[in-house]
Amino acid sequence: MHEYSVTESLLALALEKAGEANAARITRVNLVLGEISGIVGECVRLYFDLLSRDTIASGAELAYETIPTQLRCNKCDKVYTPQDGSWACPDCSEIGLEIVAGRECYLESIEVE
Amino acid sequence: MSVKVIKVGEDILSANEDKAGANKARLDKGAVFTVNIMASPGAGKTSLIMNTINNLKDKMRIGVIEGDVASSVDADKINALGIPVIQINTAGGCHLDANMVEYALNGLPLDAIDLLFIENVGNLICPNAFVLGEDRRVMIASTPEGDDKPLKYPAMFADSDVVVLNKTDLTPHLDFDDAAFRQTVTGLNPDVVIFPVSCKTGAGLDDWYAWLTAAVRGKKGG
């Protein structure tokens, strides 16, 4: 559900950038989403198709790259991706960590004609 | 027609973050210490707020923003205590965002509030991804939910400054492992402050009140 407002922001940003470039049409939108950004790419795609109607982004392909969560163990310094949903360090089993990646939510680029 | 790639590299949530920054500036100007209360439904968000109002209302001026999917049940309870309150109904939305909070701030007498609670929508999944302009994030976990919740919703615990563990009066009836809970929470978030409390019996709440009082004084400049 909360992807609706996020998609509104995404579309506004894409249209702004296309406008600055005097583009006639947006053909593709490339989004980067971290695994724990709280944003589900498929939902963004659904809303994007709906919201972009009657704009120059209508029919554009929405592509998203998912960035896996990366954590750094505070005890042994290992950087790892959580396995099977567990945030514990695979080497020392500690849960003592810093989030290194996975929160990303940005518009990387747009492709225009 | 040739296809051109335009590099953007801009955060999508930046609109929310900008708005949250504006909210924060407004609250800083009035020296209003602002707490974003996050928890699952039924963990005790409103109970903690009401206990705190009853205990601290003679020492400081308190205001509340209530976020719910529907109804004004919580706001009505707060209003009955004579506290300024604004209800936000998200109409299905699963979190509060900075825009909704801006709207609520417009309806509150900010120059007559020292401590503002923003009660977020009951949800452990996404409220942490949306800053509102708060000074501190306080998460309420409750013992009947189980000691494994930090393992299941790690980002919420990692992003909170304070964890209030509520319903400790029920612990004798539950298999809640307090040591395991603490170990996971402090692992996810080494700087976190944990307050075990019971909003029902009042146990442990004095430490929470003392923390809040010091934070409110701190924001007022001593």
Side-chain angles (χ1 to χ4, degrees):
Chain A
M1 168 68 204
H2 73 200
E3 281 77 5
Y4 188 88
S5 61
V6 172
T7 310
E8 283 180 315
S9 302
L10 168 70
L11 179 63
L13 182 59
L15 291 174
E16 180 195 324
K17 296 296 169 184
E20 285 169 10
N22 294 316
R25 202 163 85 84
I26 300 177
T27 55
R28 188 177 159 109
V29 172
N30 295 306
L31 185 64
V32 175
L33 293 177
E35 210 180 343
I36 51 166
S37 64
I39 309 298
V40 179
E42 281 307 312
C43 294
V44 175
R45 182 173 281 161
L46 183 77
Y47 287 128
F48 189 85
D49 290 346
L50 194 74
L51 289 165
S52 63
R53 282 179 197 165
D54 304 323
T55 74
I56 61 164
S58 179
E61 183 187 349
L62 186 120
Y64 60 91
E65 181 194 350
T66 305
I67 306 288
T69 308
Q70 279 203 317
L71 309 171
R72 179 183 291 112
C73 176
N74 287 337
K75 196 177 175 194
C76 72
D77 230 26
K78 183 184 173 71
V79 175
Y80 60 97
T81 296
Q83 297 298 320
D84 303 323
S86 168
W87 279 31
C89 174
D91 281 6
C92 67
S93 303
E94 280 289 304
I95 298 181
L97 53 87
E98 182 192 331
I99 299 167
V100 180
R103 294 190 192 273
E104 298 78 2
C105 176
Y106 63 91
L107 174 58
E108 185 178 57
S109 61
I110 56 173
E111 295 173 27
V112 300
E113 287 179 347
Chain B
M1 202 179 272
S2 66
V3 173
K4 196 167 107 184
V5 177
I6 303 173
K7 282 271 166 206
V8 181
E10 284 185 33
D11 203 309
I12 312 296
L13 299 177
S14 62
N16 185 66
E17 279 155 21
D18 292 349
K19 184 73 80 178
N23 289 346
K24 177 83 166 63
R26 224 169 137 184
L27 292 160
D28 284 351
K29 194 165 170 240
V32 182
F33 183 73
T34 304
V35 180
N36 178 2
I37 304 259
M38 308 184 290
S40 62
K45 292 182 295 298
T46 310
S47 298
L48 183 73
I49 291 171
M50 290 185 58
N51 273 284
T52 307
I53 290 169
N54 285 326
N55 191 273
L56 295 180
K57 69 177 175 191
D58 296 333
K59 296 173 189 146
M60 59 183 74
R61 300 165 300 172
I62 302 174
V64 178
I65 296 173
E66 277 290 339
D68 283 295
V69 170
S71 89
S72 61
V73 173
D74 288 349
D76 293 345
K77 288 184 202 164
I78 308 282
N79 196 37
L81 300 175
I83 295 292
V85 57
I86 298 285
Q87 175 79 50
I88 301 173
N89 281 143
T90 60
C94 48
H95 62 268
L96 292 181
D97 65 32
N99 208 35
M100 299 175 194
V101 169
E102 182 196 34
Y103 167 81
L105 292 180
N106 292 340
L108 283 170
L110 293 183
D111 51 355
I113 293 175
D114 304 311
L115 169 63
L116 177 64
F117 286 115
I118 304 176
E119 183 179 331
N120 219 311
V121 178
N123 177 1
L124 289 184
I125 300 170
C126 68
N128 62 305
F130 296 85
V131 286
L132 307 176
E134 67 271 37
D135 289 293
R136 290 289 182 271
R137 291 175 152 196
V138 173
M139 187 173 164
I140 307 176
S142 65
T143 55
E145 295 170 63
D147 54 67
D148 58 355
K149 286 303 159 290
L151 293 169
K152 293 189 173 182
Y153 304 95
M156 283 282 290
F157 284 87
D159 284 344
S160 295
D161 302 294
V162 170
V163 171
V164 173
L165 177 63
N166 189 24
K167 307 190 190 179
T168 52
D169 54 304
L170 295 178
T171 312
H173 309 287
L174 305 168
D175 295 324
F176 187 86
D177 184 338
D178 189 64
F181 177 82
R182 279 172 179 274
Q183 194 185 353
T184 313
V185 173
T186 52
L188 291 168
N189 189 344
D191 301 323
V192 74
V193 182
I194 302 175
F195 294 113
V197 308
S198 165
C199 286
K200 182 85 178 164
T201 67
L205 285 171
D206 284 346
D207 290 341
W208 158 249
Y209 300 145
W211 179 86
L212 265 181
T213 306
V216 169
R217 276 205 199 114
K219 184 138 188 183
K220 292 275 171 210

